[in-house]
Amino acid sequence: MPALENDVFLRALRREPTPYTPVWLMRQAGRYLPEYNATRARAGSFLALAKTPSLATEVTLQPLARFPLDAAILFSDILTVPDAMGLGLYFVDGEGPKFERTTATAESIAALAAPDMASLRYVFDAVGEIKRALGRSVPLIGFAGSPFTLACYMIEGGGSPDFASVRRMSYARPDLLRRLVDVNAVAVAAYLNEQITAGADAVMIFDTWGGLLSHAAYRQFSLRPMREILAALKPAPDGRAIPTILFTKGAGASLDEAADVGASALGLDWTVDIAKARRELGRRVALQGNLDPLVLLTDLDTVVRETEAVIQAAGPAPGYIFNLGHGILPGTPLAHVAALVETVHRESRVNPAQ
Ligand code: CP3
């Protein structure tokens, strides 16, 4: 694999000095882009889009054609893995993801097994096709859901404001939740390794719901299986180590422990004081984040001011990647995204990471 023209993102993950702060946005390919909505309409559904490598490639590249982002992220979903376990993923418009079958009982959890990776071939084919389309331009991020966040959807059968049944299980039947996250950890490690083989330059674990757990339960059911996954990841086919990002939403109180599980970087949501996180974690990990996505639904002056504030708070130390604190929202004006990216690049060149 010839060297990338823009490897600023990978350098920042390795905590090396960079000429400016790299930026990408969670959910950068999505409904705020009119061309995404057009491709999705052509595909017929979100799942058809995600399961057709040529269309997944097309939408992965769409935000990069508009904005000078420093990384691409595979267009897919975290719920492809439980879908491949036979749970039957579908989407109801306006209601988010649903499963035809759940794994909420002792019997269904005992029967669960990591899927044959052949059933997720469409994802690895998409990774290969996206890499060929990107050429040497920017790195590609592969991703998966955390074992615990996948378990939330598998137990509940869909989204929930508080996943109460999952938290109840963490206290009443820790043996069941443990078996579920352990099966998921085996599946996610194999899934990420296949993405690495197919060409992913970095991988990210999305732990959207780990922050709902008690501190002890977070360590046991979220951090522990993520540590096992990170330990099981392989280098790239050419021997390069693959940098990793771990993002738990709502776990600002556990950053110190999260910094020790072996990830290259921690993703931070907007509730975290990134200056304080840097002070407390020192140079143990790179940091990624953490502008509130709601800022992009204000006005241009506010977008620029709040973006500058995050850059200032993150400070000049190497090992910082600008991002939002969670996914970009539908309805975000394109001009606001352009201003954000421009501000990050301009402001960080004035005061480059050393
Ligand atoms: O960042 C990217 O551009 C890559 C694509 C990506 C998607 N989902 C596409 C998507 C990524 C990284 C995800 C991860 C994901 N999926 C997470 C973890 C990150 C997070 O946001 O917390 C979770 C919890 C899911 C599960 C999921 N998939 C939900 C809850 C929804 C509905 C969300 C909504 O806003 O309606 C999805 C569907 C989904 N995944 C969409 C996209 C672009 C919207 C589908 C559509 O076009 O209608």
Side-chain angles (χ1 to χ4, degrees):
M1 179 68 209
L4 291 166
E5 279 153 16
N6 177 354
D7 65 351
V8 172
F9 167 72
L10 296 176
R11 284 180 189 278
L13 283 175
R14 294 194 297 257
R15 281 164 286 145
E16 294 169 8
T18 56
Y20 61 87
T21 295
V23 51
W24 70 278
L25 303 173
M26 291 193 271
R27 293 272 173 104
Q28 64 191 22
R31 285 164 295 179
Y32 75 104
L33 287 174
E35 57 273 33
Y36 169 83
N37 294 322
T39 310
R40 183 181 181 278
R42 193 149 47 84
S45 69
F46 166 71
L47 269 186
L49 186 54
K51 291 190 174 185
T52 310
S54 59
L55 296 177
T57 301
E58 185 178 312
V59 293
T60 299
L61 300 179
Q62 285 171 347
L64 298 153
R66 276 192 189 266
F67 315 111
L69 296 157
D70 296 291
I73 180 161
L74 163 69
F75 186 82
S76 188
D77 199 82
I78 62 166
L79 300 178
T80 52
V81 170
D83 184 45
M85 289 171 168
L87 269 59
L89 175 65
Y90 66 101
F91 283 84
V92 182
D93 259 342
E95 287 180 47
K98 304 255 185 236
F99 284 115
E100 282 160 21
R101 290 165 287 280
T102 61
T103 53
T105 61
E107 294 70 37
S108 56
I109 292 174
L112 204 67
D116 183 347
M117 286 299 132
S119 59
L120 289 158
R121 215 205 135 94
Y122 66 91
V123 177
F124 316 130
D125 286 347
V127 170
E129 194 167 331
I130 295 163
K131 275 300 284 179
R132 284 191 292 279
L134 285 171
R136 300 172 51 221
S137 58
V138 289
L140 175 63
I141 306 165
F143 73 90
S146 75
F148 176 72
T149 292
L150 296 180
C152 285
Y153 290 97
M154 294 164 77
I155 293 166
E156 196 76 39
S160 157
D162 56 5
F163 289 101
S165 56
V166 183
R167 270 154 65 209
R168 214 174 322 120
M169 190 189 278
S170 78
Y171 302 113
R173 292 301 305 270
D175 56 318
L176 295 186
L177 189 56
R178 185 180 169 117
R179 151 103 186 135
L180 183 45
V181 297
D182 284 353
V183 173
N184 287 347
V186 170
V188 167
Y191 184 58
L192 289 176
N193 274 327
E194 289 292 335
Q195 292 184 34
I196 291 168
T197 302
D201 298 292
V203 293
M204 173 154 167
I205 301 177
F206 286 89
D207 185 27
T208 309
W209 301 116
L212 292 176
L213 288 168
S214 74
H215 185 66
Y218 174 63
R219 285 209 309 234
Q220 190 184 350
F221 300 112
S222 181
L223 272 187
R224 180 188 53 79
M226 292 197 290
R227 180 199 301 272
E228 285 165 12
I229 292 166
L230 293 168
L233 294 184
K234 296 188 299 206
D238 66 3
R240 264 175 309 139
I242 294 292
T244 54
I245 309 166
L246 192 156
F247 172 63
T248 298
K249 185 165 166 284
S254 305
L255 291 180
D256 190 50
E257 281 142 302
D260 279 340
V261 299
S264 317
L266 294 182
L268 307 178
D269 69 47
W270 65 90
T271 65
V272 174
D273 177 347
I274 194 166
K276 187 161 165 241
R278 175 57 82 200
R279 272 199 309 280
E280 289 175 1
L281 301 176
R283 300 198 169 191
R284 283 151 69 197
V285 285
L287 298 177
Q288 173 177 283
N290 69 343
L291 184 74
D292 187 342
L294 259 309
V295 168
L296 288 171
L297 297 184
T298 61
D299 55 85
L300 265 183
D301 287 349
T302 307
V303 169
V304 171
R305 193 183 65 241
E306 294 295 328
T307 299
E308 287 172 354
V310 171
I311 293 168
Q312 289 306 318
Y320 172 56
I321 298 117
F322 193 97
N323 206 314
L324 303 176
H326 199 201
I328 191 168
L329 294 161
T332 295
L334 298 171
H336 292 183
V337 180
L340 178 154
V341 175
E342 202 265 329
T343 303
V344 174
H345 285 161
R346 176 172 38 78
E347 283 300 307
S348 61
R349 271 188 201 281
V350 172
N351 187 11
Q354 294 305 322

